[in-house]
Amino acid sequence: MVRAMRTLIRHQWRQGRSAFLAFGAILVIAACLLDTALTLLWSFDAQYDRRQEALAVADIDIVIPQSAASANLERQLSALDGVADVEAHPAVLADSDIPDFRGADFTIRTLVSDADTARRLNRYRHVTASQTGGDLYIPQYVAEFGQFKPGQDLVLRMDGHEERLRIAGTIEDMEFGNAGSGILAFTMPHDAFDAFLDRHRQDAVTEYAVRIDGDATLATVRKDLGTFLDAHGIPVAATLDRQTVRTVRTMVSRIVVLVLTVFALLVALVSLALCAFQIGNAVRRERVDMGILKAIGYTGRTVARTMLAPYLLASLAATLAGILLSLPLVHAVGSLVAMQSGLDYQAAIDLRAWAVTLAALAGLTMLCASTALHGVRRLKPIDAIRTRPAGRRRQARPLAALPGNARTAILLAQACASRPRNLLIAVMSACMTILLAFCATLAYNAALRPDNLYDTLSTETPQLAVATQPGAAREAAGRIASIEGVDDVLDYTTEYVTIDGNRIPAFVSDDFAAARNDIHYDGQHPTDERQIALGSALAAAHPIGSQVAVTHGDEVRSYTVVGFLQSVNDGGAVCELTDAGYVRLEPGFDAASHTLYVYCDGEETAQVAERIKDHADGLVGQVTDTNRMRLASQRMVGTVLVAVSVAILAIALFLVLLVLMMVVQTSIARDRHRLGILKAIGYTSRQLRAETAMVLLPAGCVGALLAAVLCAGGMLPAVQALFATMGVMRSHFELPWALPAAVAVLLAALQLACAFGFARPIRGMAAVDLIRQ
Amino acid sequence: MSTTTPTDTRQADAPIVSARGLTKAYDAGDHPQCVLRGLDVDIHRSDFTVIMGPSGSGKSTLLHALAGLDRPSGGTVTFDGKDITAMGDDDLAVFRRHACGFVFQQHQLLDGMSLMDNAIVAGALTMRSKRDIIAKARTLFTQVGLDERTWQRAATQVSGGEAQRASVVRALVNDPALVFADEPTGALNSHHAQAVLDVFTRLHHRGQGIVMVTHDRHSALRGSRILYLRDGAIVDECRPGTYTADGGQGRERALSDFLERMGW
């Protein structure tokens, strides 16, 4: 019996080799994407957690001015409920500009500490080192993202000083190793650090690394620490906890996993539709043979198994091939994600991902094939033997009842003739339209409308940022506004305040409505001195209408929350205050230096900057060409997104071509006799090729248009949901209605052209041979 | 002698089809199989030409070559003054749709469609309006003795004779110059065969040119001109005259003598 089944399975394989190969090829892609997603999901997070443990990452980090730090404070903190361990690390914390960070200026708070002091908590791991030594160890994130290498010089502009430092090596830091946490940590050899500390005494801080008890709650201990420091009047420069940092640093990997999984499922759906279509054809083709097998004593179950087995084997082989192909893909995607996260990620084989991929795709194949083969068990041998093997169903409606002229009616009749074929084409068109519409959305907002992407991910960014001399903001603004090429000037200064123990950026302006990038996603901007808008990270704790205490130095003031803001770069920890609102915290603000945001659309920003320096001399200080940074950033992100779009486009085109090739080949093989008759009575090859292609059009159009409608209504919410995982509550992405429609029309046209091409074998068919068959 | 050579049979009307030096060889490994050997023949529109001969003599091959359904290996076929052997595949298809109607041994209807729809599929090649095609097909269905209930059925739901008569309708719907029939009664019982042959006779009497291949002497009796093929060449022909409803003893005898001479 087993030998007989093996023979029958071999026969099945030979009969439909190309069908199995096409099914397998699509499944390879699905398996590759799914395994990559699952491997990243499990191995990335697992490596992240292991590395956190290995480097004894603190649960909470509190940075305070060195002047406020003491051994006594360390003891007091250790004695708080839920605190298991506290370790103090001397450091320098300051806002820094890093020039030539991947071609642009990069502004970030930097925490510089001693690399040679032994630590129990928040240890570093040296990843690479320069042969010639140096002054500075940089985090992996800076090395990978900023494109710096050991042995090169890195410039840190801090407090007006420019430090040119030779890079000694790269370090992996699991707490401050990524810009997402708002602070980047650098370390220095002991002697270099001492000298550096001497040069930056005003920025000297102490970082308290806190470990909590196993049964304590992170949020509670963090709040208690904040309350304790507030109560003792100790200013906090920064607070971080490992959970928040983990969320920020694994954000991109989670998005990649989500996108890959959705893509894998769409591709798997197409492969399953192809499987059902091919099995349907095989059942029709092999009907007589199946009848004979049943007649000589094979059970329906055995016959069905012989037909199912090749698909299952093809599915297993394809899934394994896809898993093997995923190894380099995991490595490539992992490197991309690692670059963003700052984790020294080592792509590794994940057997769980293998098992789940294999079980999911083989299981789905089994389910789909078993359903398609359901009728085989009920097949009566005598019916099967008597029926013509290529028996086609009677068309539902006569041509006379179909709309249009004779040719149109014939096409419509043919188009409705095969439900499995139409289902396959519709599913494929719908899935590919969704994939391509996603690509188009990314490309449109990253390449054609790059401001949309930039504004979604960043806060307000003008073309030029001008620092005024103390007390000269109003006069400087008036002077700059009159300069040729300047469209608008907005007083928009970033200060720092403390809320819930966290030092966060406060955007201070009297006219948030004049800003180009509206970052508020709920409520409104503050309009009077008692109002505040909070970033998304603070939204849960401070609903609109509630009062929030804001600290700046020794001043503590209460404000009414009127709205929520998004700020990806700051992890949603920001706020907005009016000038008068900030003056309540800092009475000397009017007399201090402000930042003026200068808008000069269509102008050469460097020239406008020169004009500002000339015309407002004595009123302004540094003029920063933020437009240059913006363009560099847009170029970088745009390049990545366009590359992603092209990759998706290539996969989609491959799938379309493969499915169409199989459908057309199957149609021609099944309709050889019919084609012969039509050729004999006078249909030309071109007409028959066109008919073969055009009968696929209605199903393709229906699938593509339904998906286009779905995309027109659902793509932006889906993208918004994707962004929400990054903390973006309001996406600026646009999707013109014509874009999914254009994708659907182009896809339909592509299908028509490809199907016409794949129907070329009709040309070589001689009518008389086809009739003789 | 009641028979003449093909070259002597030229009638008053000019031949619509002329084949000269027609050869057809099939590649059968080391020994190519020659089916037609330099054959010359003229076909007249006024004739009901019957091609007879033993199995393998090249009857169907000749029919297919004359109708532009198959390409000869050598020689020329001129149809209504046009050399169809020089035409490309698509030009040949266009030529066939206007000039030829086909009736095959198996009816070769599209079995997923009704008999009427089969006629519409053919009619759509020369007419755009569905209404015009249906009107014409209705007339033809009536002429071949099929009623509306029958022509609305699928090819698989009617008898062989009905299906074959429907295939005659399909062959005629585009007003071809010639109808080519390849053993049209070969798969039918005698009753159905008689009905189909009656249709052909009526068509011929109305002036439709017909070329029919058969190995059945009763079918051949309907023809006005009988060509006999052997080993890929026409060896002789006879003109028993026009078929009448009573058959006519003289025609039957003339055909019997002819076939006997041919060694049938």
Side-chain angles (χ1 to χ4, degrees):
Chain A
M1 188 65 169
V2 173
R3 179 172 293 181
M5 275 192 70
R6 211 183 299 156
T7 309
L8 289 170
I9 290 168
R10 263 204 298 269
H11 170 72
Q12 285 295 331
W13 172 261
R14 278 195 294 267
Q15 288 284 308
R17 195 178 300 156
S18 60
F20 296 128
L21 289 176
F23 166 69
I26 299 178
L27 220 53
V28 165
I29 297 173
C32 184
L33 295 175
L34 187 59
D35 186 62
T36 304
L38 293 177
T39 304
L40 276 179
L41 178 68
W42 288 321
S43 71
F44 191 87
D45 285 15
Q47 278 192 34
Y48 188 91
D49 292 341
R50 275 202 301 273
R51 204 63 56 77
Q52 273 198 333
E53 285 309 313
L55 297 180
V57 170
D59 293 303
I60 300 165
D61 274 289
I62 296 172
V63 184
I64 61 172
Q66 197 180 50
S67 55
S70 65
N72 187 39
L73 177 63
E74 191 175 331
R75 273 194 301 278
Q76 287 177 310
L77 292 176
S78 301
L80 287 174
D81 274 354
V83 175
D85 193 7
V86 177
E87 185 179 55
H89 306 138
V92 170
L93 177 70
D95 293 334
S96 301
D97 284 333
I98 306 174
D100 203 20
F101 189 96
R102 202 178 262 254
D105 286 356
F106 183 63
T107 305
I108 185 90
R109 297 176 83 194
T110 49
L111 183 78
V112 183
S113 54
D114 187 347
D116 296 330
T117 306
R119 292 177 165 209
R120 287 193 315 277
L121 299 175
N122 277 357
R123 293 199 291 264
Y124 307 111
R125 189 173 76 89
H126 288 265
V127 182
T128 57
S130 165
Q131 301 281 338
T132 54
D135 317 308
L136 185 72
Y137 292 100
I138 61 172
Q140 278 283 96
Y141 176 85
V142 174
E144 296 285 338
F145 215 61
Q147 296 179 326
F148 291 103
K149 286 184 182 140
Q152 287 181 338
D153 283 353
L154 181 140
V155 174
L156 283 177
R157 288 194 199 117
M158 306 169 87
D159 299 326
H161 298 290
E162 189 167 287
E163 298 272 359
R164 181 169 290 277
L165 302 160
R166 176 64 48 89
I167 300 170
T170 59
I171 53 168
E172 189 174 40
D173 177 339
M174 299 306 293
E175 196 72 343
F176 298 103
N178 166 281
S181 54
I183 298 175
L184 272 177
F186 294 81
T187 62
M188 289 179 157
H190 183 71
D191 291 343
F193 176 70
D194 278 350
F196 185 81
L197 190 59
D198 280 342
R199 292 197 296 275
H200 298 274
R201 273 287 161 204
Q202 73 281 12
D203 295 319
V205 292
T206 298
E207 171 212 348
Y208 284 104
V210 179
R211 258 288 165 91
I212 66 170
D213 287 328
D215 55 352
T217 313
L218 185 66
T220 310
V221 177
R222 182 175 167 162
K223 192 166 185 182
D224 291 348
L225 285 167
T227 309
F228 174 84
L229 293 170
D230 264 359
H232 288 79
I234 299 170
V236 177
T239 310
L240 279 184
D241 68 69
R242 66 188 283 174
Q243 195 53 49
T244 309
V245 171
R246 186 184 191 280
T247 305
V248 170
R249 290 177 68 163
T250 56
M251 176 179 73
V252 172
S253 83
R254 273 181 284 123
I255 292 170
V256 169
V257 164
L258 189 68
V259 171
L260 285 176
T261 307
V262 170
F263 283 8
L265 292 179
L266 286 175
V267 176
L269 196 63
V270 174
S271 73
L272 293 178
L274 182 66
C275 169
F277 170 73
Q278 296 294 5
I279 286 180
N281 280 321
V283 168
R284 234 187 328 267
R285 193 182 61 224
E286 306 284 324
R287 199 173 150 83
V288 174
D289 289 353
M290 287 189 294
I292 293 168
L293 288 174
K294 278 191 142 184
I296 64 173
Y298 280 90
T299 63
R301 187 186 295 266
T302 311
V303 173
R305 279 180 185 165
T306 62
M307 297 200 72
L308 186 143
Y311 280 95
L312 194 57
L313 291 174
S315 145
L316 290 172
T319 308
L320 283 174
I323 286 171
L324 289 177
L325 270 179
S326 74
L327 295 178
L329 186 64
V330 167
H331 189 78
V333 177
S335 305
L336 201 70
V337 173
M339 182 170 80
Q340 185 278 333
S341 71
L343 174 72
D344 183 27
Y345 173 69
Q346 301 296 322
I349 290 169
D350 191 305
L351 292 178
R352 260 185 316 170
W354 285 33
V356 170
T357 304
L358 207 58
L361 295 182
L364 283 172
T365 304
M366 275 277 281
L367 189 70
C368 172
S370 303
T371 311
L373 285 166
H374 188 64
V376 172
R377 294 191 194 171
R378 289 176 301 165
L379 184 71
K380 288 183 183 159
I382 197 66
D383 290 344
I385 293 166
R386 279 180 179 164
T387 312
R388 293 178 62 179
R392 292 152 60 85
R393 291 191 316 147
R394 172 94 166 82
Q395 73 184 55
R397 295 178 71 190
L399 294 180
L402 290 170
N405 62 28
R407 295 259 174 100
T408 312
I410 293 168
L411 277 177
L412 277 176
Q414 278 302 111
C416 301
S418 172
R419 201 178 302 167
R421 178 196 65 197
N422 289 342
L423 186 68
L424 169 62
I425 294 293
V427 167
M428 188 265 291
S429 300
C431 291
M432 292 310 107
T433 303
I434 292 171
L435 278 185
L436 293 175
F438 182 76
C439 283
T441 308
L442 283 187
Y444 181 81
N445 290 282
L448 288 179
R449 295 264 190 277
D451 287 350
N452 291 347
L453 178 66
Y454 193 88
D455 288 345
T456 299
L457 298 178
S458 74
T459 49
E460 180 67 9
T461 312
Q463 271 100 23
L464 292 167
V466 180
T468 67
Q469 296 298 343
R474 195 176 300 273
E475 191 184 347
R479 189 86 63 89
I480 293 170
S482 64
I483 291 174
E484 183 196 345
V486 173
D487 296 328
D488 201 5
V489 180
L490 175 67
D491 189 341
Y492 196 100
T493 305
T494 302
E495 296 291 344
Y496 284 88
V497 297
T498 302
I499 297 176
D500 295 344
N502 296 319
R503 187 169 180 265
I504 62 170
F507 306 126
V508 181
S509 178
D510 266 347
D511 192 6
F512 289 109
R516 303 282 179 91
N517 183 14
D518 189 0
I519 59 172
H520 100 280
Y521 66 89
D522 198 5
Q524 61 181 58
H525 294 289
T527 51
D528 70 38
E529 62 180 15
R530 297 194 177 276
Q531 292 181 344
I532 189 169
L534 297 176
S536 54
L538 305 168
H542 303 283
I544 290 174
S546 66
Q547 295 292 311
V548 60
V550 182
T551 307
H552 178 70
D554 295 334
E555 301 292 336
V556 182
R557 296 281 182 267
S558 180
Y559 294 86
T560 305
V561 180
V562 293
F564 295 135
L565 315 167
Q566 67 182 24
S567 172
V568 178
N569 286 341
D570 301 291
V574 294
C575 69
E576 278 180 352
L577 289 168
T578 60
D579 279 7
Y582 186 66
V583 166
R584 290 177 64 214
L585 292 164
E586 175 57 70
F589 177 63
D590 282 340
S593 171
H594 288 204
T595 306
L596 299 179
Y597 279 11
V598 179
Y599 303 91
C600 45
D601 293 327
E603 294 290 324
E604 185 60 53
T605 48
Q607 289 176 6
V608 177
E610 285 305 315
R611 280 180 224 145
I612 290 172
K613 283 176 190 165
D614 291 346
H615 287 74
D617 189 27
L619 297 174
V620 300
Q622 190 177 353
V623 179
T624 308
D625 191 344
T626 43
N627 197 50
R628 198 164 60 87
M629 291 163 59
R630 183 187 181 102
L631 291 176
S633 177
Q634 282 175 346
R635 231 183 351 259
M636 189 176 73
V637 178
T639 306
V640 171
L641 288 184
V642 169
V644 169
S645 302
V646 169
I648 297 172
L649 184 72
I651 291 174
L653 288 181
F654 174 71
L655 289 177
V656 169
L657 292 180
L658 202 61
V659 170
L660 282 178
M661 191 179 73
M662 289 314 302
V663 168
V664 172
Q665 276 182 0
T666 306
S667 297
I668 292 175
R670 202 178 60 184
D671 285 352
R672 285 178 77 81
H673 187 244
R674 177 179 161 275
L675 292 170
I677 295 169
L678 294 176
K679 271 198 156 187
I681 66 174
Y683 279 84
T684 63
S685 297
R686 181 175 284 273
Q687 279 177 316
L688 295 176
R689 286 173 69 190
E691 184 208 86
T692 305
M694 285 177 75
V695 295
L696 306 179
L697 204 55
C701 284
V702 167
L705 288 175
L706 282 179
V709 170
L710 189 73
C711 289
M715 184 58 76
L716 286 181
V719 170
Q720 173 64 69
L722 199 65
F723 274 129
T725 63
M726 300 164 67
V728 177
M729 310 310 290
R730 178 179 172 178
S731 157
H732 291 271
F733 270 35
E734 295 171 52
L735 182 64
W737 65 267
L739 201 59
V743 166
V745 169
L746 284 176
L747 188 66
L750 178 77
Q751 287 185 33
L752 191 66
C754 292
F756 185 78
F758 287 134
R760 192 180 163 85
I762 290 176
R763 282 179 59 179
M765 293 173 166
V768 69
D769 294 338
L770 296 171
I771 291 170
R772 278 185 194 136
Q773 284 170 7
Chain B
M1 186 170 142
S2 62
T3 57
T4 54
T5 59
T7 48
D8 297 331
T9 60
R10 193 163 297 164
Q11 294 185 331
D13 60 329
I16 186 162
V17 186
S18 291
R20 294 290 176 268
L22 208 58
T23 60
K24 178 72 182 178
Y26 290 105
D27 188 12
D30 295 337
H31 306 287
Q33 189 187 353
C34 202
V35 182
L36 299 178
R37 299 165 188 274
L39 183 148
D40 293 342
V41 68
D42 288 330
I43 304 290
H44 296 266
R45 195 169 183 165
S46 57
D47 276 335
F48 183 162
T49 307
V50 172
I51 304 170
M52 291 192 78
S55 292
S57 59
K59 302 186 295 291
S60 293
T61 305
L62 173 61
L63 184 93
H64 294 151
L66 294 177
L69 208 53
D70 200 3
R71 288 183 182 283
S73 308
T76 59
V77 176
T78 310
F79 199 118
D80 210 8
K82 291 174 198 139
D83 181 3
I84 63 169
T85 46
M87 288 182 181
D89 283 345
D90 281 356
D91 288 340
L92 259 183
V94 174
F95 151 74
R96 281 197 300 270
R97 75 173 64 148
H98 291 291
C100 308
F102 293 97
V103 181
F104 301 97
Q105 182 175 6
Q106 307 292 339
H107 54 73
Q108 306 290 14
L109 293 173
L110 303 176
D111 52 11
M113 291 182 155
S114 68
L115 303 187
M116 175 58 89
D117 286 353
N118 269 275
I120 294 175
V121 168
L125 284 164
T126 57
M127 291 172 270
R128 290 192 73 79
S129 161
K130 224 163 39 187
R131 190 178 300 172
D132 292 349
I133 302 171
I134 291 170
K136 186 162 188 185
R138 275 171 179 272
T139 310
L140 291 168
F141 274 119
T142 308
Q143 284 175 10
V144 300
L146 295 178
D147 59 20
E148 184 162 357
R149 216 174 53 179
T150 309
W151 77 56
Q152 283 176 348
R153 289 192 190 144
T156 49
Q157 295 171 325
V158 296
S159 70
E162 288 168 331
Q164 198 61 299
R165 277 183 278 165
S167 75
V168 174
V169 171
R170 184 182 64 186
L172 293 171
V173 78
N174 289 326
D175 296 322
L178 286 178
V179 170
F180 291 88
D182 189 1
E183 306 217 28
T185 59
L188 302 178
N189 64 29
S190 58
H191 172 71
H192 287 140
Q194 193 69 23
V196 170
L197 290 171
D198 286 346
V199 169
F200 278 126
T201 300
R202 281 201 300 276
L203 288 171
H204 179 231
H205 287 170
R206 285 182 201 145
Q208 175 67 54
I210 299 170
V211 181
M212 181 174 77
V213 164
T214 184
H215 61 267
D216 172 45
R217 72 167 59 207
H218 293 292
S219 301
L221 202 55
R222 304 296 182 114
S224 61
R225 182 189 178 204
I226 320 293
L227 302 176
Y228 196 86
L229 236 72
R230 187 183 295 138
D231 297 332
I234 293 173
V235 290
D236 207 346
E237 70 167 85
C238 88
R239 288 190 165 277
T242 303
Y243 179 81
T244 54
D246 61 2
Q249 289 292 317
R251 291 185 88 254
E252 197 165 348
R253 195 171 305 114
L255 180 64
S256 294
D257 292 347
F258 173 70
L259 292 176
E260 204 171 309
R261 263 203 324 282
M262 294 296 108
W264 184 261

